[in-house]
Amino acid sequence: RKEVEQDPGPFNVPEGATVAFNCTYSNSASQSFFWYRQDCRKEPKLLMSVYSSGNEDGRFTAQLNRASQYISLLIRDSKLSDSATYLCVVNIGTGNQFYFGTGTSLTVIP
Amino acid sequence: EAGVAQSPRYKIIEKRQSVAFWCNPISGHATLYWYQQILGQGPKLLIQFQNNGVVDDSQLPKDRFSAERLKGVDSTLKIQPAKLEDSAVYLCASSLVPGRYGTQYFGPGTRLTVL
């Protein structure tokens, strides 16, 4: 079983829409969670860190549900520039190991 | 502030040949990571260094892959001999501190094609 699983999409949404991605993780010892953004043929860049139940940064909200072992990312008022692949990342603290999901592809349509 | 530098950006080799990639992390970053990203997948951690010591290399195919960070700054990743399934983007990342409190900054990657 994979450490981190994401719906690969693709998600195609109109500008201004709200879209949500889910990510599940298998190891209950996972301590920290992140969302990275990766543009086509570019390197991943940190979007948000999720250390407790969740946090918000402008149009982006990340939530963590430890009981069900999933993390979600909500994007409100989607912009064309939000088009990218969103990678869910889990850190298993004991070994400082980072596991990336396969990514969810988002295209925002004019 | 300069970012993580990697070279070469692209490399095409034939199977059974050898190849080496170079990474220069952000100045002052003690932690360095090498990832392999196969098309359509997320990055997979190959090896993690803290200064010049290996923290985790559990997913590094040690029969053909090797990495070093001799002076605790630059790092090289080598594949010898290469296989077709090694075709991927090799990403280097660095962080100021290790573990979950260290934001990882990625370099642009080296795109390897093995023919």
Side-chain angles (χ1 to χ4, degrees), chain B residues 28-101:
Chain B
H29 281 198
T31 309
L32 186 146
Y33 308 83
W34 281 103
Y35 289 89
Q36 179 193 58
Q37 186 172 23
I38 293 172
L39 187 64
Q41 298 182 21
K44 182 182 85 170
L45 180 66
L46 294 175
I47 189 167
Q48 177 186 344
F49 291 95
Q50 181 65 21
N51 296 308
N52 60 349
V54 175
V55 173
D56 180 11
D57 63 355
S58 57
Q59 298 189 91
L60 186 74
K62 298 180 185 63
D63 58 334
R64 298 184 301 106
F65 286 65
S66 64
E68 60 183 14
R69 194 184 184 200
L70 292 175
K71 297 183 179 179
V73 181
D74 294 6
S75 177
T76 56
L77 176 70
K78 297 179 181 177
I79 307 175
Q80 181 178 6
K83 293 185 176 181
L84 297 177
E85 58 262 36
D86 298 332
S87 294
V89 176
Y90 290 84
L91 293 162
C92 178
S94 70
S95 63
L96 188 60
V97 296
R100 57 195 176 122
Y101 295 113

Side-chain angles (χ1 to χ4, degrees), chain A residues 60-109:
Chain A
F60 298 84
T61 301
Q63 289 193 319
L64 168 64
N65 185 317
R66 287 188 183 273
S68 301
Q69 295 186 195
Y70 79 82
I71 315 110
S72 64
L73 177 67
L74 183 77
I75 305 175
R76 290 181 297 276
D77 188 22
S78 298
K79 312 289 185 189
L80 296 177
S81 56
D82 294 335
S83 297
T85 295
Y86 291 83
L87 297 162
C88 174
V89 186
V90 170
N91 173 255
I92 300 175
T94 51
N96 278 330
Q97 295 160 332
F98 289 88
Y99 292 93
F100 282 71
T102 55
T104 297
S105 174
L106 171 66
T107 300
V108 181
I109 304 165

Side-chain angles (χ1 to χ4, degrees), chain A residues 38-58:
Chain A
Q38 186 170 28
D39 292 290
C40 187
R41 300 179 77 86
K42 298 286 188 181
E43 69 273 22
K45 293 184 179 178
L46 180 65
L47 179 65
M48 298 182 77
S49 302
V50 188
Y51 292 123
S52 55
S53 61
N55 56 312
E56 184 173 323
D57 183 5

